[in-house]
Amino acid sequence: MVKKAVLPVAGFGSRMLPASKSIPKEMLPIVDRPAIEYVVKEAVRAGIKDIILVSHSAKTAIEDYFDTQFELEHQLEAKGKDALLAEVRDILPADVSVISVRQHRALGLGHAVACAAPVVGDEPFAVLLPDVLVDCAGQDEDLGVMVEKYHARGAAQIMVEEVPEARVDQYGIVALKGDVPPPGESAPMTAVVEKPAVEDAPSRLSVVGRYVLPGEIMGILAETPPGAGNEIQLTDAIATLMERAPVEAYAMRGQTFDCGNKAGYLQAILHFAARHPDLGEQAKAMMAAEIGKAVES
């Protein structure tokens, strides 16, 4: 059973400077809670019980966020702020653990995932990139469906979405055995290439930032040499895994938001503000007013 998830959070977030100079980019708020909470709760809804943060000494704020803060809770309780107290206490269910391991050197995503090997062991696990938020708008969530497909088929699941041809050199790109599957379905992969040149790309299907992988990939990562950017690439390890076991590309249904850059972060704020249970109507009215001003000017 897939009960563990690895979240690589050790990066410095240079695309979000200067805000990320002192605040971990994963802690930047999307409306009223940090981006990392959205990703962690996505994992929990998919059945994950152990959240493994691959972190850095400058990122302790992330661990602290998921810890208990007795003084704050005591003050909220004393002031009768019960609704707010419940939100602070109930960030995670009691049966979910947050575990932190260190990535002492920035040697790539594959290296970051490999740092979690002592905790993952030989169990299957998910990988969620915390820069990417996914909203499935009331449909069955993509990560949960990927976990179900892994259990049913025994094949690793790699979430993909189509990107413009001009941008394929920015992503891991996959090749399929057959046609592109419809949203919510998977198809066998034959190759995955990290950031290929446009003319060499096998397709326009990019790896999104959600994976369900067998534990054996940890051993593969331990033997994977540096690849693109002189870093240990998870895509290279997945390519090796395909020589030994089935790997499938899962065509996502949801909408993604790249919160690792300023434009994507702003888009996420607007999107989730409009969907907020308390602020949604106000947020939509404010956005409509701003659009009206822009049109008039």
Side-chain angles (χ1 to χ4, degrees), residues 234-246:
L234 181 58
T235 47
D236 291 343
I238 292 171
T240 301
L241 177 66
M242 279 190 286
E243 299 171 2
R244 310 177 186 181

Side-chain angles (χ1 to χ4, degrees), residues 211-291:
Y211 313 75
V212 180
L213 302 167
E216 69 182 280
I217 202 166
M218 289 298 192
I220 296 172
L221 282 167
E223 300 174 354
T224 299
N230 200 34
E231 296 181 335
I232 298 172
Q233 299 291 345
L234 181 58
T235 47
D236 291 343
I238 292 171
T240 301
L241 177 66
M242 279 190 286
E243 299 171 2
R244 310 177 186 181
V247 178
E248 296 182 342
Y250 170 82
M252 68 176 301
R253 290 184 290 199
Q255 182 178 0
T256 58
F257 301 89
D258 182 0
C259 294
N261 68 73
K262 295 170 186 175
Y265 174 68
L266 176 60
Q267 184 186 17
I269 291 175
L270 297 175
H271 176 85
F272 286 98
R275 290 173 57 83
H276 193 280
D278 299 324
L279 304 173
E281 293 305 315
Q282 183 180 356
K284 285 185 276 191
M286 293 170 64
M287 284 186 270
E290 290 301 315
I291 292 171

Side-chain angles (χ1 to χ4, degrees), residues 70-215:
F70 293 105
E71 183 177 354
L72 172 62
E73 293 182 11
H74 176 73
Q75 288 188 11
L76 292 174
E77 188 172 22
K79 294 178 180 179
K81 297 184 177 181
D82 297 334
L84 193 54
L85 176 62
E87 283 200 64
V88 170
R89 280 181 172 166
D90 299 336
I91 292 173
L92 288 179
D95 61 346
V96 173
S97 299
V98 176
I99 303 160
S100 182
V101 299
R102 290 286 175 89
Q103 183 185 21
H104 298 289
R105 298 174 61 195
L107 298 178
L109 175 58
H111 178 263
V113 173
C115 288
V119 183
V120 171
D122 60 359
E123 298 179 40
F125 64 102
V127 177
L128 293 85
L129 301 192
D131 286 348
V132 179
L133 304 190
V134 179
D135 183 15
C136 290
Q139 304 178 84
D140 290 342
E141 292 193 275
D142 286 316
L143 183 64
V145 177
M146 291 169 69
V147 169
E148 291 174 2
K149 289 186 180 298
Y150 177 86
H151 290 153
R153 304 182 187 185
Q157 301 290 314
I158 314 298
M159 193 160 78
V160 298
E161 67 177 344
E162 199 167 63
V163 296
E165 185 177 55
R167 294 171 55 199
V168 298
D169 60 353
Q170 302 174 30
Y171 302 94
I173 301 295
V174 309
L176 302 181
K177 186 175 182 180
D179 296 333
V180 176
E185 298 296 334
S186 301
M189 284 170 48
T190 59
V192 58
V193 184
E194 182 66 24
K195 298 179 180 178
V198 173
E199 60 272 17
D200 298 328
S203 74
R204 293 195 290 120
L205 290 176
S206 73
V207 178
V208 176
R210 300 291 186 270
Y211 313 75
V212 180
L213 302 167

